[in-house]
Amino acid sequence: PLAAAVTLNYTSAIFLAIYLAFSGQRPTAGVFGALALGLAGVGLLLRPTWGADQLLGALLGLASGALAGMAYFSVRELGQRGEPETRTVFYFSLVSSLGATCWLAWSELHPVDLRSGSLLFGVAAFATAAQLAMTRAYAASRTLLAAALAYSTVVFASLFGIVFWHETLDRWSWLAIGLIILSGVAATHFSPPAPVRRSSA
């Protein structure tokens, strides 16, 4: 199920903290607690379900979280070495586009009209801006704080659902949103100061 896949993918923040610990960083127990609290909030909001025959899918979802955590760790390391965000995002977009092009070879193509083209342009523009902001956050800010604040994605998605599609949230969903917000506050309190970036030669 989609909710289960999204929840497992959000374990990337936990994996990122583990990678940082193995690299010599020392995330505090408070930061780990904040990340776990945020993940619990995401799980409560999305309420994933697993069937007995979905073990492979669950493992793949967990693997996506581990790989995403490694990607964020790599972005941080690039930023610490003075790599500009624009270059990182450019090569990320290039590799992603090449991979998507290969996938399109086995997919059905649809004509792009003015409306769909405008929507695609909007998606591309906002995605690029978000990718630049995320890359800078992981590279130049407190990395685990950025990871904890990334949980707010599902909060904004829920609020957009209320505003644009008139969805309603039950008390458990509001409790989940509160947990995610609390995790961001806790991560802000417990995160160590931002590291100093080294300029590239």
Side-chain angles (χ1 to χ4, degrees):
L2 179 60
V6 173
T7 302
L8 289 171
N9 183 259
Y10 271 103
T11 59
S12 59
I14 305 296
F15 283 108
L16 174 60
I18 294 172
Y19 298 148
L20 288 173
F22 277 114
S23 71
Q25 306 293 320
R26 291 189 176 181
T28 64
V31 171
F32 271 109
L35 295 175
L37 181 64
L39 183 60
V42 171
L44 182 60
L45 185 60
L46 299 180
R47 297 170 204 172
T49 57
W50 286 276
D53 59 339
Q54 296 173 330
L55 177 60
L56 177 59
L59 291 176
L60 290 175
L62 191 62
S64 76
L67 292 174
M70 179 55 69
Y72 297 144
F73 178 80
S74 300
V75 166
R76 175 189 179 277
E77 292 300 302
L78 287 171
Q80 290 298 296
R81 285 160 175 74
E83 194 72 19
E85 294 84 13
T86 50
R87 186 182 301 162
T88 301
V89 172
F90 171 77
Y91 282 109
F92 170 79
S93 302
L94 178 63
V95 173
S96 300
S97 298
L98 292 175
T101 301
C102 296
W103 185 265
L104 283 175
W106 289 273
S107 303
E108 181 182 358
L109 299 180
H110 300 277
V112 178
D113 55 20
L114 180 60
R115 181 177 182 277
S116 60
S118 300
L119 291 173
L120 285 173
F121 178 79
V123 169
F126 282 110
T128 301
Q131 193 68 40
L132 287 168
M134 186 204 73
T135 302
R136 183 166 184 81
Y138 277 99
S141 183
R142 292 179 286 182
T143 305
L144 292 178
L145 172 59
L149 294 178
Y151 290 137
S152 64
T153 301
V154 293
V155 175
F156 284 110
S158 299
L159 296 179
F160 288 152
I162 294 174
V163 173
F164 295 109
W165 294 284
H166 308 291
E167 296 176 351
T168 57
L169 302 179
D170 58 21
R171 64 179 183 275
W172 295 109
S173 297
W174 287 112
L175 175 61
I177 289 175
L179 290 177
I180 294 171
I181 294 174
L182 182 60
S183 75
V185 174
T188 302
H189 176 74
F190 290 111
S191 295
V196 178
R197 299 180 69 185
R198 298 194 295 269
S199 59
S200 56

